[in-house]
Amino acid sequence: MAYARAEALTRLGQRLFFDPALSASGKLACATCHDPKVGFGPPNALAVQAGGKDLQQLGLRAVPSLKYLQTVPQFSEHYFESDDEGDASIDNGPTGGLTWDGRVDRHRDQAAVPLLSPFEMANATPGDVVKRLREREYTEAFEAIFGAAVLADDSKAFAALGEALAVYQEDSRTFYPYSSKYDAYLAGRARLTPQEARGLALFEDPNKGNCASCHRSRVGNDGTPPQFTDYGLIALGLPRNPVIAANADSAFFDLGLCGPLRSDLADRAEYCGLFRTPSLRNVALRRTFFHNGLVHDLRRAVAFYVERDTEPEKWYPRNADGTVRKFDDLPRPYQTNVNQNPPLGPRPDNRPVLTAAEIDDIVAFLGTLTDGFPQNP
Protein backbone atom coordinates (compact mmCIF):
# COMPACT_ATOMS: atom_id res chain seq x y z
CA MET A 1 0.00 0.00 0.00
CA ALA A 2 2.77 2.44 0.97
CA TYR A 3 4.75 1.48 -2.14
CA ALA A 4 1.73 2.06 -4.38
CA ARG A 5 1.15 5.49 -2.80
CA ALA A 6 4.80 6.42 -3.29
CA GLU A 7 4.62 5.41 -6.94
CA ALA A 8 1.45 7.45 -7.42
CA LEU A 9 3.05 10.45 -5.70
CA THR A 10 6.13 10.12 -7.90
CA ARG A 11 4.02 10.14 -11.06
CA LEU A 12 1.99 13.11 -9.82
CA GLY A 13 5.12 14.98 -8.75
CA GLN A 14 6.61 14.46 -12.17
CA ARG A 15 3.53 15.98 -13.83
CA LEU A 16 3.70 18.95 -11.48
CA PHE A 17 7.42 19.37 -12.13
CA PHE A 18 6.94 19.62 -15.89
CA ASP A 19 3.75 21.74 -15.82
CA PRO A 20 4.27 25.41 -16.80
CA ALA A 21 0.60 26.20 -16.04
CA LEU A 22 1.44 26.42 -12.33
CA SER A 23 3.40 29.63 -12.96
CA ALA A 24 1.96 33.13 -13.22
CA SER A 25 3.22 33.40 -16.80
CA GLY A 26 1.85 29.99 -17.74
CA LYS A 27 5.17 29.32 -19.44
CA LEU A 28 7.63 28.41 -16.68
CA ALA A 29 7.81 24.94 -15.15
CA CYS A 30 10.29 23.59 -12.63
CA ALA A 31 11.82 21.65 -15.53
CA THR A 32 12.31 24.84 -17.54
CA CYS A 33 15.25 25.80 -15.35
CA HIS A 34 16.07 22.32 -14.02
CA ASP A 35 16.45 20.42 -17.26
CA PRO A 36 16.80 16.63 -16.86
CA LYS A 37 19.00 16.52 -19.97
CA VAL A 38 21.71 18.43 -18.12
CA GLY A 39 21.51 16.85 -14.70
CA PHE A 40 18.45 18.86 -13.65
CA GLY A 41 20.51 22.04 -13.93
CA PRO A 42 20.20 25.10 -16.18
CA PRO A 43 19.41 24.34 -19.83
CA ASN A 44 21.68 27.03 -21.24
CA ALA A 45 24.78 29.11 -20.54
CA LEU A 46 22.97 32.10 -19.07
CA ALA A 47 24.32 33.29 -15.73
CA VAL A 48 20.79 33.58 -14.34
CA GLN A 49 17.42 32.63 -15.78
CA ALA A 50 14.48 34.93 -16.53
CA GLY A 51 11.10 34.49 -14.88
CA GLY A 52 8.32 36.49 -13.31
CA LYS A 53 4.84 37.18 -14.62
CA ASP A 54 6.23 38.44 -17.92
CA LEU A 55 9.34 36.25 -18.08
CA GLN A 56 11.45 39.41 -17.97
CA GLN A 57 12.60 39.31 -14.35
CA LEU A 58 16.18 38.11 -13.95
CA GLY A 59 17.16 36.06 -10.95
CA LEU A 60 20.05 36.73 -8.58
CA ARG A 61 21.81 33.35 -8.74
CA ALA A 62 22.66 30.58 -11.14
CA VAL A 63 20.34 27.60 -11.19
CA PRO A 64 21.73 24.70 -9.10
CA SER A 65 21.31 21.05 -9.94
CA LEU A 66 18.54 19.13 -8.18
CA LYS A 67 20.37 15.80 -8.39
CA TYR A 68 22.07 14.16 -5.41
CA LEU A 69 20.38 16.27 -2.77
CA GLN A 70 18.95 13.28 -0.88
CA THR A 71 21.72 13.20 1.74
CA VAL A 72 22.08 16.94 2.36
CA PRO A 73 21.81 17.41 6.15
CA GLN A 74 19.62 20.02 7.76
CA PHE A 75 21.28 23.40 8.06
CA SER A 76 23.39 23.83 11.16
CA GLU A 77 25.68 26.64 12.23
CA HIS A 78 27.88 24.08 13.98
CA TYR A 79 28.15 20.82 12.11
CA PHE A 80 30.13 17.98 13.68
CA GLU A 81 31.07 15.09 11.46
CA SER A 82 30.12 11.57 12.39
CA ASP A 83 32.82 9.24 13.70
CA ASP A 84 32.96 7.24 10.48
CA GLU A 85 33.84 10.31 8.41
CA GLY A 86 36.28 12.17 10.60
CA ASP A 87 37.04 13.64 13.99
CA ALA A 88 33.67 14.32 15.62
CA SER A 89 35.23 16.99 17.80
CA ILE A 90 35.85 19.29 14.83
CA ASP A 91 33.29 22.02 14.32
CA ASN A 92 32.91 22.45 10.56
CA GLY A 93 30.81 25.58 10.94
CA PRO A 94 27.78 26.38 8.74
CA THR A 95 26.77 23.25 6.87
CA GLY A 96 23.76 21.81 5.08
CA GLY A 97 20.40 23.02 3.94
CA LEU A 98 19.06 23.26 0.41
CA THR A 99 19.38 26.23 -1.99
CA TRP A 100 22.59 28.24 -2.36
CA ASP A 101 22.18 29.72 1.13
CA GLY A 102 20.80 26.64 2.90
CA ARG A 103 17.64 28.40 4.03
CA VAL A 104 15.31 25.39 3.71
CA ASP A 105 15.90 21.81 4.82
CA ARG A 106 13.24 19.71 3.10
CA HIS A 107 12.41 19.13 -0.55
CA ARG A 108 8.77 20.10 0.05
CA ASP A 109 9.90 23.48 1.40
CA GLN A 110 12.41 23.94 -1.38
CA ALA A 111 9.64 23.35 -3.92
CA ALA A 112 7.76 26.35 -2.56
CA VAL A 113 10.67 28.71 -3.20
CA PRO A 114 10.43 28.94 -7.03
CA LEU A 115 6.63 28.73 -6.98
CA LEU A 116 6.43 31.92 -4.92
CA SER A 117 9.57 33.77 -6.04
CA PRO A 118 8.78 37.01 -7.92
CA PHE A 119 11.57 36.32 -10.42
CA GLU A 120 10.73 32.66 -10.94
CA MET A 121 7.19 31.25 -11.14
CA ALA A 122 5.86 34.43 -9.53
CA ASN A 123 2.75 33.27 -7.70
CA ALA A 124 1.82 35.89 -5.12
CA THR A 125 0.43 33.38 -2.62
CA PRO A 126 0.05 29.62 -2.15
CA GLY A 127 -3.62 30.16 -2.95
CA ASP A 128 -2.68 31.38 -6.42
CA VAL A 129 -0.82 28.12 -7.04
CA VAL A 130 -3.77 26.07 -5.84
CA LYS A 131 -6.15 28.08 -8.03
CA ARG A 132 -4.09 27.11 -11.06
CA LEU A 133 -3.85 23.54 -9.81
CA ARG A 134 -7.65 23.22 -9.67
CA GLU A 135 -7.80 23.89 -13.41
CA ARG A 136 -5.40 21.11 -14.38
CA GLU A 137 -6.49 17.86 -15.95
CA TYR A 138 -4.79 15.74 -13.28
CA THR A 139 -6.89 16.92 -10.32
CA GLU A 140 -8.51 13.49 -10.11
CA ALA A 141 -5.10 11.90 -9.54
CA PHE A 142 -4.38 14.58 -6.94
CA GLU A 143 -7.65 13.90 -5.09
CA ALA A 144 -7.21 10.14 -5.35
CA ILE A 145 -4.02 10.43 -3.30
CA PHE A 146 -4.88 13.23 -0.88
CA GLY A 147 -8.65 12.99 -0.62
CA ALA A 148 -11.61 14.54 -2.41
CA ALA A 149 -11.67 17.64 -0.21
CA VAL A 150 -7.96 18.53 -0.42
CA LEU A 151 -8.32 21.15 -3.17
CA ALA A 152 -10.96 23.02 -1.17
CA ASP A 153 -8.33 24.01 1.41
CA ASP A 154 -5.51 26.18 -0.01
CA SER A 155 -3.11 25.39 2.81
CA LYS A 156 -3.61 21.62 2.65
CA ALA A 157 -3.52 21.60 -1.15
CA PHE A 158 -0.28 23.58 -1.29
CA ALA A 159 1.32 21.27 1.28
CA ALA A 160 0.16 18.26 -0.71
CA LEU A 161 1.64 19.72 -3.90
CA GLY A 162 4.95 20.17 -2.07
CA GLU A 163 4.84 16.58 -0.88
CA ALA A 164 4.27 15.27 -4.40
CA LEU A 165 7.17 17.33 -5.79
CA ALA A 166 9.36 16.17 -2.91
CA VAL A 167 8.60 12.49 -3.48
CA TYR A 168 9.36 12.86 -7.20
CA GLN A 169 12.70 14.54 -6.40
CA GLU A 170 13.54 11.69 -4.03
CA ASP A 171 13.13 9.05 -6.74
CA SER A 172 16.47 7.27 -6.79
CA ARG A 173 16.20 6.14 -10.41
CA THR A 174 15.95 9.72 -11.59
CA PHE A 175 17.75 11.91 -9.05
CA TYR A 176 20.49 9.74 -7.56
CA PRO A 177 21.17 6.73 -9.76
CA TYR A 178 24.95 6.61 -9.13
CA SER A 179 25.45 5.57 -12.72
CA SER A 180 28.62 7.48 -13.67
CA LYS A 181 31.86 6.02 -14.96
CA TYR A 182 33.44 6.84 -11.60
CA ASP A 183 30.78 4.77 -9.82
CA ALA A 184 31.53 1.92 -12.21
CA TYR A 185 35.26 2.39 -11.50
CA LEU A 186 34.68 2.21 -7.75
CA ALA A 187 32.68 -0.99 -8.29
CA GLY A 188 35.49 -2.52 -10.35
CA ARG A 189 33.47 -2.44 -13.57
CA ALA A 190 35.43 0.25 -15.43
CA ARG A 191 38.97 1.55 -15.75
CA LEU A 192 39.95 5.19 -15.83
CA THR A 193 42.06 6.43 -18.71
CA PRO A 194 45.59 7.54 -17.77
CA GLN A 195 44.51 11.18 -17.93
CA GLU A 196 41.41 10.55 -15.79
CA ALA A 197 43.53 8.67 -13.26
CA ARG A 198 46.02 11.55 -13.10
CA GLY A 199 43.11 13.93 -12.64
CA LEU A 200 41.73 11.89 -9.74
CA ALA A 201 45.13 11.87 -8.04
CA LEU A 202 45.44 15.66 -8.44
CA PHE A 203 41.83 16.12 -7.28
CA GLU A 204 42.60 14.28 -4.04
CA ASP A 205 46.16 15.48 -3.42
CA PRO A 206 46.08 18.08 -0.59
CA ASN A 207 49.24 19.67 -2.01
CA LYS A 208 47.83 20.01 -5.53
CA GLY A 209 44.14 20.38 -6.37
CA ASN A 210 42.92 19.61 -2.85
CA CYS A 211 39.43 19.50 -4.39
CA ALA A 212 38.38 16.51 -2.28
CA SER A 213 38.70 18.54 0.91
CA CYS A 214 35.30 20.03 0.04
CA HIS A 215 34.14 17.74 -2.79
CA ARG A 216 34.61 14.35 -1.17
CA SER A 217 35.46 11.57 -3.55
CA ARG A 218 35.87 8.48 -1.37
CA VAL A 219 33.29 5.87 -0.43
CA GLY A 220 32.16 6.23 3.20
CA ASN A 221 33.05 3.60 5.77
CA ASP A 222 29.42 2.50 5.65
CA GLY A 223 29.62 1.98 1.89
CA THR A 224 27.84 5.21 1.00
CA PRO A 225 28.86 6.39 -2.49
CA PRO A 226 30.78 9.68 -2.55
CA GLN A 227 28.55 12.73 -2.91
CA PHE A 228 31.36 15.06 -4.08
CA THR A 229 30.45 17.68 -1.50
CA ASP A 230 30.94 18.14 2.23
CA TYR A 231 27.69 20.20 2.33
CA GLY A 232 29.60 23.17 3.73
CA LEU A 233 29.10 26.86 3.03
CA ILE A 234 32.19 28.90 2.14
CA ALA A 235 33.13 32.23 0.59
CA LEU A 236 35.13 31.96 -2.64
CA GLY A 237 35.50 35.68 -3.25
CA LEU A 238 34.20 35.47 -6.81
CA PRO A 239 34.39 38.52 -9.07
CA ARG A 240 31.21 40.55 -9.42
CA ASN A 241 29.11 39.50 -12.40
CA PRO A 242 27.80 42.55 -14.32
CA VAL A 243 25.30 40.36 -16.21
CA ILE A 244 23.16 40.09 -13.08
CA ALA A 245 20.75 43.01 -13.29
CA ALA A 246 20.74 43.66 -9.55
CA ASN A 247 24.49 44.28 -9.67
CA ALA A 248 23.92 47.47 -11.64
CA ASP A 249 23.25 49.00 -8.23
CA SER A 250 26.71 49.46 -6.70
CA ALA A 251 25.17 49.26 -3.23
CA PHE A 252 23.68 45.81 -3.84
CA PHE A 253 25.55 42.69 -2.77
CA ASP A 254 24.41 39.10 -2.73
CA LEU A 255 25.86 37.96 0.58
CA GLY A 256 24.53 34.41 0.56
CA LEU A 257 24.07 33.13 4.07
CA CYS A 258 23.42 36.59 5.50
CA GLY A 259 21.08 37.85 2.78
CA PRO A 260 19.25 39.14 0.88
CA LEU A 261 17.22 35.98 0.12
CA ARG A 262 17.88 34.58 3.58
CA SER A 263 17.04 36.90 6.49
CA ASP A 264 17.49 34.97 9.74
CA LEU A 265 21.29 35.37 9.79
CA ALA A 266 21.52 38.93 8.47
CA ASP A 267 23.37 40.14 11.56
CA ARG A 268 26.10 37.47 11.38
CA ALA A 269 28.95 39.29 9.66
CA GLU A 270 31.14 36.17 9.70
CA TYR A 271 28.64 34.45 7.39
CA CYS A 272 28.49 37.13 4.71
CA GLY A 273 29.62 35.85 1.33
CA LEU A 274 29.17 32.16 2.18
CA PHE A 275 27.39 29.87 -0.30
CA ARG A 276 26.75 26.12 -0.34
CA THR A 277 29.33 23.77 -1.81
CA PRO A 278 27.47 21.90 -4.56
CA SER A 279 28.01 18.30 -5.57
CA LEU A 280 30.27 17.92 -8.59
CA ARG A 281 28.30 15.00 -9.94
CA ASN A 282 27.23 15.78 -13.53
CA VAL A 283 29.26 19.01 -13.41
CA ALA A 284 30.58 18.39 -16.94
CA LEU A 285 27.05 18.84 -18.27
CA ARG A 286 26.83 22.39 -16.96
CA ARG A 287 27.57 25.57 -18.90
CA THR A 288 27.15 27.90 -15.93
CA PHE A 289 29.30 27.70 -12.82
CA PHE A 290 29.38 29.19 -9.32
CA HIS A 291 26.52 30.86 -7.48
CA ASN A 292 26.65 34.00 -9.64
CA GLY A 293 26.99 32.20 -12.97
CA LEU A 294 30.20 34.05 -13.76
CA VAL A 295 31.96 31.21 -15.60
CA HIS A 296 30.68 29.24 -18.59
CA ASP A 297 33.41 26.68 -19.11
CA LEU A 298 34.39 23.87 -16.76
CA ARG A 299 38.10 24.26 -17.39
CA ARG A 300 37.92 27.94 -16.58
CA ALA A 301 35.99 27.15 -13.40
CA VAL A 302 38.82 24.89 -12.24
CA ALA A 303 41.37 27.51 -13.26
CA PHE A 304 39.72 30.09 -10.98
CA TYR A 305 40.84 28.17 -7.90
CA VAL A 306 44.39 28.09 -9.24
CA GLU A 307 44.62 31.69 -10.46
CA ARG A 308 42.49 33.68 -8.02
CA ASP A 309 45.44 34.64 -5.81
CA THR A 310 48.40 34.02 -8.10
CA GLU A 311 47.07 35.81 -11.19
CA PRO A 312 44.16 37.95 -9.92
CA GLU A 313 44.48 40.34 -12.85
CA LYS A 314 42.87 37.63 -14.99
CA TRP A 315 39.72 37.77 -12.89
CA TYR A 316 39.21 41.12 -11.18
CA PRO A 317 38.93 44.74 -12.39
CA ARG A 318 41.60 47.33 -11.76
CA ASN A 319 41.39 50.47 -9.66
CA ALA A 320 42.21 53.87 -11.10
CA ASP A 321 45.80 53.50 -9.90
CA GLY A 322 46.18 50.21 -11.74
CA THR A 323 45.99 47.93 -8.71
CA VAL A 324 43.74 44.88 -8.90
CA ARG A 325 40.46 45.15 -6.98
CA LYS A 326 40.16 41.66 -5.58
CA PHE A 327 36.96 40.30 -4.08
CA ASP A 328 34.98 43.16 -5.63
CA ASP A 329 31.65 41.42 -5.00
CA LEU A 330 32.09 41.60 -1.23
CA PRO A 331 32.13 44.74 0.93
CA ARG A 332 35.55 45.17 2.51
CA PRO A 333 34.44 44.26 6.09
CA TYR A 334 33.48 40.77 4.87
CA GLN A 335 36.52 40.02 2.73
CA THR A 336 38.22 38.30 5.65
CA ASN A 337 35.58 35.56 5.25
CA VAL A 338 37.04 34.52 1.90
CA ASN A 339 38.43 30.98 1.94
CA GLN A 340 42.21 30.68 1.75
CA ASN A 341 42.65 26.91 1.82
CA PRO A 342 44.80 25.36 -0.96
CA PRO A 343 44.73 25.64 -3.91
CA LEU A 344 43.35 29.08 -2.98
CA GLY A 345 45.48 31.53 -1.07
CA PRO A 346 48.85 33.11 -1.83
CA ARG A 347 51.81 30.99 -2.88
CA PRO A 348 55.35 31.66 -1.62
CA ASP A 349 56.70 31.88 -5.16
CA ASN A 350 53.41 33.10 -6.64
CA ARG A 351 53.47 30.05 -8.89
CA PRO A 352 50.08 28.39 -9.55
CA VAL A 353 49.73 25.08 -7.74
CA LEU A 354 48.54 23.37 -10.93
CA THR A 355 49.97 23.55 -14.43
CA ALA A 356 47.77 23.94 -17.49
CA ALA A 357 48.16 20.22 -18.23
CA GLU A 358 47.18 19.31 -14.69
CA ILE A 359 44.05 21.45 -14.93
CA ASP A 360 43.19 19.51 -18.08
CA ASP A 361 43.68 16.26 -16.18
CA ILE A 362 41.27 17.32 -13.42
CA VAL A 363 38.69 18.36 -16.02
CA ALA A 364 39.03 14.95 -17.66
CA PHE A 365 38.39 13.29 -14.30
CA LEU A 366 35.33 15.46 -13.66
CA GLY A 367 33.91 14.11 -16.90
CA THR A 368 33.72 10.68 -15.26
CA LEU A 369 31.08 11.98 -12.82
CA THR A 370 28.37 12.21 -15.47
CA ASP A 371 25.48 9.77 -15.02
CA GLY A 372 24.54 7.34 -17.77
CA PHE A 373 27.77 5.39 -18.21
CA PRO A 374 27.01 2.03 -19.89
CA GLN A 375 26.48 -0.54 -17.18
CA ASN A 376 27.92 -3.40 -19.29
CA PRO A 377 30.63 -1.84 -21.46
Side-chain angles (χ1 to χ4, degrees):
M1 186 71 175
Y3 178 80
R5 186 176 189 275
E7 284 290 304
L9 274 170
T10 299
R11 291 192 297 271
L12 176 60
Q14 183 178 29
R15 296 186 76 172
L16 294 166
F17 191 88
F18 286 87
D19 191 354
L22 298 179
S23 66
S25 67
K27 299 179 180 179
L28 192 70
C30 301
T32 305
C33 295
H34 298 284
D35 189 337
K37 295 178 182 178
V38 285
F40 286 88
N44 51 45
L46 296 176
V48 294
Q49 304 298 313
K53 294 180 179 180
D54 55 3
L55 294 183
Q56 298 298 312
Q57 309 303 309
L58 293 177
L60 299 180
R61 299 170 184 167
V63 172
S65 170
L66 294 182
K67 296 193 80 170
Y68 295 99
L69 299 180
Q70 80 285 356
T71 57
V72 178
Q74 292 188 345
F75 174 78
S76 172
E77 293 186 59
H78 304 283
Y79 181 76
F80 296 89
E81 294 182 278
S82 61
D83 289 333
D84 63 346
E85 292 183 350
D87 186 344
S89 67
I90 297 175
D91 182 356
N92 290 278
T95 303
L98 302 172
T99 73
W100 280 110
D101 54 26
R103 66 189 184 274
V104 295
D105 289 324
R106 302 182 303 174
H107 274 104
R108 66 183 64 184
D109 298 323
Q110 183 274 329
V113 173
L115 285 165
L116 302 176
S117 169
F119 45 79
E120 295 184 69
M121 299 175 81
N123 290 286
T125 67
D128 289 338
V129 182
V130 175
K131 180 180 178 180
R132 294 184 168 91
L133 180 61
R134 293 189 188 109
E135 298 172 354
R136 306 308 296 143
E137 68 278 5
Y138 47 79
T139 54
E140 288 187 8
F142 202 89
E143 292 171 338
I145 298 172
F146 296 106
V150 65
L151 292 174
D153 185 313
D154 288 352
S155 178
K156 290 182 179 179
F158 189 73
L161 181 149
E163 181 182 351
L165 284 169
V167 171
Y168 170 58
Q169 292 177 66
E170 291 162 2
D171 176 46
S172 62
R173 296 162 297 185
T174 303
F175 287 92
Y176 49 104
Y178 297 109
S179 60
S180 71
K181 180 178 182 179
Y182 187 64
D183 292 302
Y185 162 77
L186 291 176
R189 293 185 287 101
R191 302 177 71 175
L192 301 182
T193 67
Q195 185 179 33
E196 292 165 350
R198 292 195 304 270
L200 171 59
L202 292 163
F203 186 94
E204 295 182 331
D205 188 340
N207 297 311
K208 297 295 287 186
N210 198 34
C211 314
S213 63
C214 292
H215 299 283
R216 296 183 177 170
S217 54
R218 298 293 182 93
V219 176
N221 289 345
D222 60 355
T224 303
Q227 304 303 309
F228 283 88
T229 177
D230 64 355
Y231 311 110
L233 294 104
I234 66 171
L236 291 178
L238 288 161
R240 194 170 178 86
N241 190 350
V243 172
I244 297 176
N247 284 344
D249 179 358
S250 61
F252 172 82
F253 292 94
D254 185 354
L255 299 177
L257 202 51
C258 68
L261 299 182
R262 181 169 187 162
S263 59
D264 59 319
L265 299 172
D267 61 345
R268 301 294 296 274
E270 70 272 27
Y271 291 165
C272 292
L274 275 62
F275 292 86
R276 185 168 62 86
T277 300
S279 171
L280 293 183
R281 286 181 172 273
N282 295 295
V283 70
L285 297 178
R286 294 184 66 90
R287 290 184 286 162
T288 299
F289 301 88
F290 302 120
H291 76 270
N292 65 357
L294 179 79
V295 176
H296 304 285
D297 175 81
L298 179 56
R299 189 189 188 282
R300 185 162 166 77
V302 175
F304 171 76
Y305 291 88
V306 179
E307 299 171 350
R308 188 197 74 181
D309 297 298
T310 59
E311 300 176 87
E313 67 278 1
K314 288 185 175 183
W315 294 92
Y316 299 96
R318 292 185 181 272
N319 296 307
D321 63 0
T323 57
V324 178
R325 190 164 69 252
K326 287 182 68 175
F327 311 144
D328 62 322
D329 204 25
L330 269 178
R332 187 170 296 277
Y334 308 137
Q335 292 182 7
T336 55
N337 297 341
V338 174
N339 189 279
Q340 299 292 334
N341 293 333
L344 301 168
R347 304 283 297 170
D349 55 1
N350 207 42
R351 180 180 298 175
V353 69
L354 296 173
T355 66
E358 289 173 331
I359 292 174
D360 289 338
D361 291 345
I362 289 179
V363 171
F365 166 67
L366 293 175
T368 71
L369 305 183
T370 302
D371 286 326
F373 183 73
Q375 295 303 299
N376 296 298

